Amino acid sequence: MSEQVTVELRLIEQIFRLATTADEKDDLERAATLLNEKFQQLRRKAPRVEHNKLVIMVALELMQEVLTLNKSLQEYAHCERLLGSILEDVEKLV
């Protein structure tokens, strides 16, 4: 089990103190960096949009990415099952 640590992160112009494990600390910091980059990217595209609306837009865009990745993983799993089935059929013939 990994040691518990506290991380202070600046997320979308606010400071958060979060508990995590030493093993997950780097991933959490990387996630914070990506979140801030996405927020700044949208801020540049829409400088007059309210802060709260930008946060929601970032969340929506990230969820679209999650859904796209999930769909890709499902398609991969389907292909993997198909390939396994084909390989079983080939082995039976050999």
Side-chain angles (χ1 to χ4, degrees):
M1 189 167 175
S2 185
E3 177 186 343
Q4 286 285 96
V5 296
T6 301
V7 177
E8 187 170 289
L9 301 171
R10 185 169 184 80
L11 300 171
I12 306 181
E13 302 175 354
Q14 294 184 33
I15 302 293
F16 291 85
R17 288 179 54 88
L18 304 170
T20 188
T21 63
D23 292 342
E24 295 177 345
K25 181 178 180 276
D26 289 341
D27 288 340
L28 183 61
E29 289 173 340
R30 180 71 181 130
T33 298
L34 293 171
L35 178 64
N36 288 329
E37 287 172 359
K38 182 72 75 175
F39 180 81
Q40 291 306 322
Q41 179 185 23
L42 281 176
R43 169 70 74 206
R44 286 188 296 275
K45 287 181 184 177
R48 290 185 172 81
V49 174
E50 294 173 32
H51 178 85
N52 291 342
K53 288 183 180 180
L54 272 180
V55 170
I56 291 169
M57 290 168 63
V58 167
L60 183 59
E61 199 168 300
L62 291 172
M63 287 310 304
Q64 285 178 307
E65 290 178 20
V66 167
L67 290 173
T68 299
L69 288 172
N70 190 29
K71 184 178 177 183
S72 295
L73 286 173
Q74 288 174 354
E75 290 170 359
Y76 174 79
H78 176 71
C79 290
E80 191 175 44
R81 285 190 301 276
L82 226 85
L83 183 57
S85 176
I86 292 169
L87 288 174
E88 285 176 14
D89 290 346
V90 167
E91 287 176 0
K92 288 176 186 174
L93 293 174
V94 175

